[in-house]
């Protein structure tokens, strides 16, 4: 067993087929709930469970469900955010590839709870093979009467479709995702109105992440108290953490929320590769501020991470070793946001370009005396000043790196060279930092 | 081939040849229209269906997509240019998309990319003269646990190094 909940059966052969999924008890919850348990009760159970969104923001899922108006004359939609584009995150890919029916069951149940008859799964373009897996699974459920015109003989209608993106990080932002699904350029919209009130086609829309929806059948099956046996009071349940970087065993790990970060890295991942030491960890995808090695005992849950000045985010744990130059790493992160800024809001579009340019010259030994203040000023002028969180996501890593590793940045300015002697056993990575001063 | 020459070649071939679409692709496009309450929403699936058949999106394909979803051509062009995976120029049979984002970079992506540039004699956004390979730097592919990684068209290849990528290239005709 790779994990207590979503990973308990993930490697079972044949799980991706309807037959295999049913063998493990799949769709029993759907049959017991749809048309039998009142929809309000389902929402209440999810609320009681304390499940929080697994896509990054950690918003209480049951509360989000309850925001969808019940008496709207308009259609209601449910959209699964399967764009998984936060750097460092690769959990939804494995979940959908190996257990597509759990997602489908979760979506039908969520659709039933909020009174929606249509669902869309928005996949990032690179996941074309997962679209084929999901389409096949959806066809199986339609043929078996588990989705479509009459779900499990209850009279409840639920049609489910997949939609393939085409390469745009911003489409992981829920309003940009909806724009994209409607056939527009994937640019975010101002909130409020929130999607729950005015989302897809200006109709009430519930947007949930893959992992969030996959928890739903388990919660409705076993109840809120059962779910709370894992995790902390404010972050119940488990979380799948995607670990990358030079650890011995990178990969996806399902752990109870609250586990110390050091336990994940040292025990589950087997520690660092030989001869390497942790310098910093980005705990929740590249959008969140990094934690220096001194804070590795921080718990992997929403509230502990906030107290340590960062976020659990999407659970993309990127481990950075001591041989890595933070200027170089930050330049890499910032280039990503520069590339992915959709261009709608000036602070983000221009700010990410200039942060990237300042980091480029620092990295190449062309830094100026006031560049660190300029970087901090640029970050400050992006943070909270754009429609969506992409700008914030670009600014926060800059602030975090300057806070914890200012000496490295200063060294680049004053000595026009790198403080980190870049010797990486076994990898012998040559990156611009070395080239610039060779 | 220089970018200008490939563009000129692409445009002239587009002008000379009317768009030919297989029945399977037409059926796929018709099917995609049934999934949404309006035609506009089908613009991405229609573009995907065309690109999967043709390999890229020549102007005639964009015109055709615009007629299907009943939008101005300029609007469809605007949508196609927003998304990095829609190819507005021809690409090779094997499109090597190398992830350069942090996790892959920490594990040697930059070195891998330089190796590919040298080996294939082409840079970012270019195609080998025989049309076999195109090379691109891309952002995070959601395969960080298998860094460094790349996608050949839609196929993932993970935990790469120079030797493994050399063996991979040999298998791609």
């Amino acid at each position: 067993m790779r994990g207590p909940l979503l990973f308990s059966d993930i490697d079972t052969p044949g799980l991706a087929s309807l037959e295999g999924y049913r063998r493990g008890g799949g769709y029993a919850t759907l049959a017991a709930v749809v048309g039998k348990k009142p929809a309000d009760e389902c929402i209440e159970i999810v609320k009681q469970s304390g499940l929080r969104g697994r896509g990054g923001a950690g918003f209480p899922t049951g509360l989000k469900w309850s925001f969808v108006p019940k008496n709207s004359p308009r259609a209601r939609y449910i959209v699964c955010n399967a764009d998984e584009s936060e750097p460092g995150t690769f959990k939804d890919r494995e979940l959908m590839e190996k257990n597509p029916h759990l997602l489908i069951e979760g979506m039908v149940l969520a659709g039933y709870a909020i009174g929606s008859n249509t669902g869309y799964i928005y996949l990032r373009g690179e996941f074309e093979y997962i679209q084929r897996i999901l389409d096949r699974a959806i066809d199986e459920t339609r043929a078996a009467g588990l989705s479509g015109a009459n779900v499990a003989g209850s009279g409840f209608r639920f049609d489910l479709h997949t939609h393939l993106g085409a390469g745009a990080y911003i489409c992981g932002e829920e309003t940009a995702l909806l724009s994209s699904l409607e056939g527009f350029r994937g640019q975010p919209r101002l909130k409020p109105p929130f999607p729950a009130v005015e989302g897809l086609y200006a109709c009430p829309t519930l947007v949930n992440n893959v992992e969030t929806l996959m928890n739903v059948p388990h919660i409705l099956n076993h109840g809120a108290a059962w779910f709370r046996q894992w995790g902390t009071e404010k972050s119940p349940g488990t979380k799948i953490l995607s670990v990358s970087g030079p650890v011995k065993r990178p990969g996806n790990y399902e752990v109870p929320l609250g586990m110390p970060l050091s336990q994940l890295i040292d025990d589950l991942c087997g520690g660092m590769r030989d001869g390497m030491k942790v310098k910093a960890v980005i705990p929740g995808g590249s959008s969140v501020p990094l934690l220096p090695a001194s804070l590795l005992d921080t718990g992997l849950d929403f509230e502990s991470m906030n107290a340590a000045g960062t976020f659990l985010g999407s659970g993309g744990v990127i481990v950075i070793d001591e041989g890595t130059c933070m200027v170089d790493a930050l330049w890499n992160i910032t280039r990503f946001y520069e590339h992915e800024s959709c261009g709608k809001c000036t602070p983000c579009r221009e700010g990410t370009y200039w942060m990237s340019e300042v980091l480029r010259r620092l990295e190449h030994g062309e830094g100026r005396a006031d560049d660190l203040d300029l970087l901090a000023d640029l970050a400050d002028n992006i943070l909270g000043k754009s429609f969506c969180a992409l700008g914030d996501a670009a600014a926060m890593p800059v602030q975090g790196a300057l806070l914890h590793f200012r000496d490295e940045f200063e060294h680049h300015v004053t000595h026009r060279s790198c403080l980190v002697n870049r010797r990486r056993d076994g990898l012998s990575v040559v990156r611009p930092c070395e080239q610039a001063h060779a | 081939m220089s970018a200008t020459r490939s563009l000129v070649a692409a445009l002239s071939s587009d002008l000379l040849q009317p768009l030919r679409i297989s029945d399977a692709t037409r059926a796929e496009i018709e099917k995609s229209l049934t999934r949404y309450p309006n035609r506009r929403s089908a613009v991405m699936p229609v573009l995907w269906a065309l690109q999967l058949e043709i390999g890229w999106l020549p102007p005639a394909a964009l015109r055709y997509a615009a007629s299907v979803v009943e939008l101005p051509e300029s609007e469809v062009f605007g949508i196609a240019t927003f998304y990095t995976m829609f190819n507005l120029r021809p690409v090779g049979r094997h499109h090597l998309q190398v992830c350069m984002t942090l996790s892959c970079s920490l594990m040697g992506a930059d070195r891998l990319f330089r190796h590919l540039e040298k080996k294939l004699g082409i840079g970012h956004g270019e195609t080998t003269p025989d049309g076999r390979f195109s090379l691109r730097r891309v952002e995070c592919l959601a395969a960080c646990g298998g860094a460094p990684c790349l996608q050949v068209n839609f196929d993932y290849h993970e935990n790469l190094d120079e030797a493994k990528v050399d063996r991979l290239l040999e298998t791609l005709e």
Side-chain angles (χ1 to χ4, degrees):
Chain A
M1 221 162 69
R2 278 178 59 197
L5 196 57
L6 300 186
F7 269 5
S8 63
D9 58 352
I10 194 79
D11 292 319
T12 309
L15 183 65
S17 71
L18 177 58
E19 197 198 337
Y21 181 65
R22 277 187 145 161
R23 222 178 287 137
Y27 290 113
T29 310
L30 182 148
V33 168
V34 176
K36 300 199 171 91
K37 206 183 269 259
D40 283 348
E41 203 181 313
C42 298
I43 297 178
E44 193 52 35
I45 293 170
V46 175
K47 262 191 192 171
Q48 294 299 326
S49 76
L51 174 66
R52 297 173 67 168
R54 302 298 196 231
F59 193 81
T61 305
L63 194 59
K64 202 179 202 182
W65 288 18
S66 69
F67 288 160
V68 179
K70 290 181 185 59
N71 302 317
S72 167
R74 317 205 63 168
R76 272 157 278 181
Y77 291 101
I78 168 161
V79 175
C80 171
N81 185 343
D83 193 62
E84 185 153 75
S85 41
E86 178 63 29
T89 317
F90 48 93
K91 65 191 173 69
D92 295 339
R93 183 179 151 215
E94 181 172 6
L95 284 169
M96 291 187 289
E97 182 180 337
K98 295 180 175 170
N99 201 357
H101 282 286
L102 182 58
L103 176 59
I104 296 170
E105 186 170 10
M107 284 193 78
V108 178
L109 289 166
Y112 173 71
I114 64 155
S116 160
N117 301 113
T118 312
Y120 293 98
I121 302 173
Y122 187 104
L123 295 148
R124 59 179 295 170
E126 292 84 352
F127 286 176
E128 188 257 3
Y129 80 103
I130 293 177
Q131 184 181 37
R132 282 186 273 124
I133 292 171
L134 282 168
D135 281 345
R136 194 159 53 232
I138 292 168
D139 286 346
E140 282 180 313
T141 58
R142 204 181 295 115
L146 296 164
S147 72
N150 186 7
V151 175
S154 66
F156 170 64
R157 177 187 188 91
F158 192 76
D159 295 313
L160 187 54
H161 309 284
T162 58
H163 183 98
L164 195 64
Y169 168 73
I170 189 64
C171 290
E173 196 282 332
E174 60 180 4
T175 63
L177 184 155
L178 296 175
S179 298
S180 178
L181 191 49
E182 289 176 7
F184 291 87
R185 292 160 72 93
Q187 291 186 313
R189 311 168 184 174
L190 196 60
K191 294 190 278 194
F194 288 92
V197 177
E198 213 171 285
L200 190 62
Y201 310 116
C203 295
T205 304
L206 177 69
V207 185
N208 276 157
N209 167 260
V210 173
E211 187 185 350
T212 311
L213 287 163
M214 283 190 171
N215 273 296
V216 168
H218 290 291
I219 290 170
L220 292 181
N221 183 22
H222 299 285
W226 173 86
F227 183 72
R228 283 181 173 275
Q229 69 177 290
W230 298 287
T232 67
E233 173 63 27
K234 288 180 178 162
S235 306
T238 66
K239 176 86 189 80
I240 296 176
L241 299 161
S242 306
V243 186
S244 62
V247 293
K248 282 196 178 122
R249 292 189 297 272
N252 285 319
Y253 294 90
E254 185 184 29
V255 304
L257 281 158
M259 176 187 276
L261 182 54
S262 52
Q263 194 183 339
L264 173 73
I265 295 171
D266 295 338
D267 298 351
L268 298 177
C269 300
M272 298 296 282
R273 290 189 177 196
D274 292 336
M276 290 185 172
K277 274 174 141 173
V278 179
K279 177 177 199 167
V281 176
I282 299 174
S286 73
S287 299
V288 310
L290 50 77
L291 285 173
S294 57
L295 293 177
L296 283 188
D297 287 330
T298 306
L300 287 155
D301 56 74
F302 295 101
E303 60 276 17
S304 301
M305 283 294 163
N306 291 4
T310 185
F311 300 94
L312 184 63
S314 59
V317 178
I318 306 172
V319 182
I320 298 172
D321 70 281
E322 278 199 330
T324 301
C325 164
M326 293 312 295
V327 180
D328 188 18
L330 186 64
W331 183 38
N332 183 297
I333 293 173
T334 306
R335 276 198 314 254
F336 173 84
Y337 293 104
E338 178 200 354
H339 182 264
E340 298 297 337
S341 173
C342 81
K344 184 165 180 162
C345 309
T346 312
C348 171
R349 182 187 65 234
E350 303 301 317
T352 52
Y353 168 81
W354 281 107
M355 289 198 307
S356 192
E357 171 57 21
V358 171
L359 285 162
R360 186 204 59 78
R361 66 187 186 223
L362 283 174
E363 174 66 3
H364 287 83
E366 301 158 13
R368 303 169 192 171
D370 57 357
D371 268 353
L372 301 195
D373 292 338
L374 180 58
L375 260 186
D377 189 47
L378 282 163
D380 182 51
N381 276 293
I382 296 172
L383 199 69
K385 296 178 179 68
S386 301
F387 267 38
C388 81
L390 192 145
D392 299 349
M396 287 190 297
V398 172
Q399 293 180 330
L402 285 177
L403 176 69
H404 296 296
F405 296 98
R406 196 175 177 93
D407 55 331
E408 279 189 42
F409 289 81
E410 281 170 350
H411 196 276
H412 269 252
V413 177
T414 51
H415 295 81
R416 307 205 170 280
S417 68
C418 187
L419 188 62
V420 181
N421 193 9
R422 310 178 55 73
R423 290 285 173 270
R424 310 194 60 195
D425 295 339
L427 286 170
S428 55
V429 175
V430 181
R431 285 191 281 154
C433 215
E434 279 188 348
Q435 279 188 316
H437 324 300
Chain B
M1 203 191 304
S2 76
T4 318
R5 272 176 60 205
S6 69
L7 188 60
V8 168
L11 288 173
S12 47
S13 77
D14 183 58
L15 291 173
L16 291 174
Q17 291 172 9
L19 189 68
R20 276 195 296 268
I21 310 165
S22 69
D23 289 345
T25 298
R26 278 182 205 281
E28 182 58 42
I29 287 171
E30 282 305 313
K31 202 173 146 196
S32 70
L33 289 168
T34 66
R35 294 201 289 265
Y36 311 92
N38 63 37
R39 297 179 83 88
R40 177 178 192 125
S41 285
V43 65
M44 291 179 81
V46 169
L47 291 174
W48 268 125
L50 292 166
Q51 178 162 306
L52 285 175
E53 167 148 355
I54 306 165
W56 65 294
L57 294 169
L62 294 176
R63 271 199 300 280
Y64 178 76
S67 72
V68 171
V69 298
E70 296 174 359
L71 284 177
E73 287 167 33
S74 57
E75 182 103 27
V76 172
F77 185 71
I79 293 162
T81 52
F82 184 83
Y83 299 96
T84 55
M85 292 180 78
F86 288 135
N87 302 322
L88 297 172
R89 281 194 311 195
V91 293
R93 288 194 298 286
H94 307 290
H95 194 182
L96 308 175
Q97 299 148 95
V98 186
C99 175
M100 305 301 285
T101 314
L102 186 61
S103 299
C104 281
S105 174
L106 290 171
M107 302 303 287
D110 304 72
R111 185 182 157 124
L112 189 70
F113 189 82
R114 271 199 298 276
H115 174 74
L116 280 166
E117 278 185 317
K118 209 169 149 191
K119 175 115 184 168
L120 301 173
I122 52 174
H124 168 72
E126 293 179 345
T127 303
T128 54
D130 60 2
R132 188 171 162 203
F133 294 112
S134 291
L135 184 61
R136 264 194 75 182
R137 288 191 200 97
V138 297
E139 298 296 349
C140 190
L141 291 172
C144 324
C149 69
L150 60 78
Q151 261 191 318
V152 182
N153 303 335
F154 285 117
D155 297 331
Y156 278 91
H157 298 274
E158 304 182 30
N159 299 305
L160 296 171
D161 55 30
E162 283 97 327
K164 281 187 197 161
V165 93
D166 283 349
R167 285 200 295 278
L168 171 66
L169 293 184
E170 282 166 25
T171 66
L172 304 171
E173 279 310 307

